[in-house]
Amino acid sequence: MAVEMLRFIAKYLPAILPFAFSLLSERIHAFIHRFTYKSVSAPKNVVVLGGSFAGAWLALRLAESLPTGYKVVLVEKNSHFNYVFNFPRYSVLQHREQRAFIPYDGLMKKAPKGVFERVQDVAVEVRDGEIELASGVCVPYEYLAVATGVRQSGPAKLLASEKSEACAELRTLQGKIQGAKRIAIVGGGPVGVEITADIKTFYPEKTVILIHSRSQLLSNFGKRLHEHVMGKMNDIGVEVLLGERPNLPQVENSEAAELVFKGGRVEHFDLVARDPLQGKEKIIPCTGQTPNSSIIENFLPTAISPKNGQILVKSTLQVHSGPKCGTAFENIFSLGDVAETGGPKMGSAAFVQSGIVEKNILALIHGKELSEYKPMSVEGILKLTLGKDNYVVYAQHEDGSDFLMPGKDSNVDLAVAKAWKTFGADFKDSDV
């Protein structure tokens, strides 16, 4: 473990140090900005669509740097910031789900007056120079950043936009898990692995089956991580079925369902969602994600990749219209999971990309040279929980080397308290 940590530091320190100095410089400029920005009656809008990690960080950075005459408008459908990292844990652990929903109110409490506006609404159409919202309101923009993320099934993402209803969704899943004797989880990515390990370690008496279509869990990462996770699953008593892609029924309205595996083997499941305490078996799908790129489909149809549905961007993260970076839309950017950036689909990558978009919007305002986003392997570092007490940190470097560092953490709330602090919210209010 110590040797692995030293290898990790030696490999990534050259990348981390300049980034740390850059963040320090940002904080200094943000402090100065509070006293130099002046509110005006009709500022030009820099609109950010989506208030998850990429969008929220970008909005915060812009609020700390936009010159007088501009303001940032964050359009987000959710009433609270969804700390999705804890959704798998709070799908299992009861009476803590409210802590995953952080008020946006504190995010800009140190920003100067007039620089920020948050609109709780859904953008339904992008046009040249304006956004139409579901409410019928049209918001003009000078610059636009699309950070609408991806659609996923629960527990990775929730349907509700209000905190109370989102908490109810998590409590429903908690009830299903609590009432089940045999639980099948379909999908061996990070969410599937985490919720599997949480269920088995918080409810060791249950039979938990993890089903994955490929021969390796966590298929986007190295084999060493797969082997480590398989060992942990074996230790805690989880059955793992690899290379299986069973038919997944529509579970919402089914009282009984079955999965058909290779060779025609059939497994029966009781899916009585209306009364989960009576269920002996439940299915929790943890499969796939779809980019939320349809918002620009009418306006910029050729800017959506036919391969994966992501928004095509240049290295500057400006949206472009097709093969070989055809027409670029100078004032429209995209970042985070919805964009085809070449970087990992991770929170750390979204943070780095938000810095690039902020710099480039400021560069366009001031007539300066644009910066390019160059993905770094450090952005893809994964911290994966493996039950209530264990985790593993995994990283892959460009040269093919990888790093695997297991650890222990008895804090069942993981890092949610730190997230509340980042958003300027008081964690003492987290149980309200």
Side-chain angles (χ1 to χ4, degrees):
M1 175 68 176
V3 173
E4 194 84 339
M5 179 61 74
L6 289 174
R7 286 181 58 236
F8 177 85
I9 293 172
K11 185 71 75 172
Y12 286 109
L13 191 61
I16 293 173
L17 277 180
F19 190 65
F21 284 122
S22 176
L23 290 179
L24 177 60
S25 176
E26 279 187 26
R27 302 322 312 145
I28 294 171
H29 283 92
F31 178 77
I32 297 172
H33 181 259
R34 293 179 205 169
F35 304 99
T36 57
Y37 180 90
K38 304 299 180 184
S39 180
V40 297
S41 58
K44 297 176 181 177
N45 291 334
V46 180
V47 176
V48 179
L49 298 183
S52 190
F53 290 94
W57 278 323
L58 176 58
L60 176 59
R61 282 177 142 146
L62 289 169
E64 294 177 338
S65 61
L66 283 175
T68 295
Y70 291 84
K71 75 172 183 180
V72 58
V73 179
L74 176 63
V75 179
E76 165 58 42
K77 70 181 180 67
N78 291 323
S79 63
H80 291 66
F81 178 82
N82 284 204
Y83 192 67
V84 296
F85 290 145
N86 275 33
F87 280 5
R89 174 60 53 90
Y90 293 153
S91 297
V92 179
L93 188 62
Q94 296 182 320
H95 309 306
R96 294 173 185 262
E97 64 281 348
Q98 65 279 358
R99 299 181 180 183
F101 304 96
I102 307 172
Y104 280 106
D105 298 344
L107 187 62
M108 305 295 174
K109 66 181 180 182
K110 294 183 179 179
K113 182 180 178 181
V115 76
F116 174 74
E117 178 184 358
R118 182 174 72 91
V119 178
Q120 187 182 350
D121 209 330
V122 177
V124 294
E125 187 173 355
V126 172
R127 293 190 283 267
D128 188 11
E130 71 173 10
I131 306 293
E132 182 180 345
L133 305 181
S135 61
V137 172
C138 289
V139 180
Y141 67 85
E142 191 77 9
Y143 297 96
L144 171 67
V146 181
T148 44
V150 295
R151 294 189 300 276
Q152 288 178 280
S153 58
K157 291 284 182 74
L158 302 176
L159 296 175
S161 58
E162 295 296 325
K163 175 182 175 179
S164 59
E165 296 168 2
C167 285
E169 282 188 53
L170 288 175
R171 286 194 294 270
T172 296
L173 186 49
Q174 292 168 10
K176 291 180 181 180
I177 290 169
Q178 186 182 45
K181 292 183 179 179
R182 296 188 73 242
I183 301 172
I185 297 178
V186 181
V191 173
V193 166
E194 288 190 327
I195 196 169
T196 296
D198 277 353
I199 292 170
K200 189 60 180 177
T201 52
F202 282 100
Y203 295 103
E205 74 281 1
K206 298 184 184 298
T207 299
V208 185
I209 303 168
L210 176 59
I211 304 167
H212 192 51
S213 61
R214 302 188 184 184
S215 59
Q216 176 182 316
L217 293 175
L218 302 152
S219 310
N220 292 330
F221 302 90
K223 189 173 181 180
R224 195 152 69 113
L225 180 60
H226 160 79
E227 292 171 347
H228 179 80
V229 172
M230 286 293 289
K232 286 294 182 183
M233 292 297 174
N234 182 65
D235 291 344
I236 62 178
V238 169
E239 181 182 357
V240 179
L241 300 179
L242 298 174
E244 290 282 2
R245 192 186 293 271
N247 293 326
L248 188 62
Q250 295 294 320
V251 301
E252 291 81 2
N253 298 314
S254 299
E255 292 189 357
E258 59 186 24
L259 294 182
V260 182
F261 293 89
K262 286 189 301 188
R265 178 173 58 89
V266 177
E267 291 275 351
H268 291 272
F269 296 87
D270 177 6
L271 296 168
V272 184
R274 290 186 292 274
D275 187 4
L277 294 178
Q278 295 180 10
K280 296 181 180 179
E281 314 227 8
K282 300 287 182 288
I283 298 175
I284 303 170
C286 297
T287 54
Q289 50 185 243
T290 305
N292 281 318
S293 56
S294 61
I295 182 65
I296 68 166
E297 192 168 15
N298 290 333
F299 179 48
L300 305 172
T302 59
I304 298 176
S305 168
K307 179 179 65 176
N308 54 31
Q310 295 173 1
I311 297 174
L312 300 171
V313 293
K314 297 173 63 179
S315 59
T316 56
L317 300 184
Q318 291 166 299
V319 173
H320 73 79
S321 64
K324 299 182 180 179
C325 296
T327 303
F329 298 89
E330 184 179 80
N331 65 333
I332 302 178
F333 296 80
S334 187
L335 67 159
D337 289 355
V338 73
E340 192 175 64
T341 62
K345 302 304 181 184
M346 307 280 279
S348 51
F351 182 77
V352 174
Q353 291 164 22
S354 71
I356 296 295
V357 174
E358 176 227 10
K359 289 177 183 176
N360 285 343
I361 289 175
L362 294 177
L364 290 172
I365 291 172
H366 297 299
K368 296 184 177 180
E369 185 177 351
L370 300 185
S371 301
E372 294 187 348
Y373 171 63
K374 298 178 181 178
M376 300 177 292
S377 59
V378 70
E379 299 169 35
I381 295 174
L382 174 70
K383 184 176 181 181
L384 189 74
T385 61
L386 295 171
K388 63 181 178 180
D389 296 319
N390 291 283
Y391 69 85
V392 62
V393 174
Y394 182 79
Q396 290 174 294
H397 199 261
E398 289 94 340
D399 62 10
S401 60
D402 63 359
F403 306 87
L404 190 147
M405 293 163 287
K408 294 276 189 181
D409 187 356
S410 59
N411 178 13
V412 295
D413 286 305
L414 308 175
V416 73
K418 184 178 179 181
W420 275 70
K421 183 177 180 181
T422 300
F423 274 73
D426 191 342
F427 190 61
K428 294 177 182 177
D429 298 330
S430 62
D431 288 329
V432 176

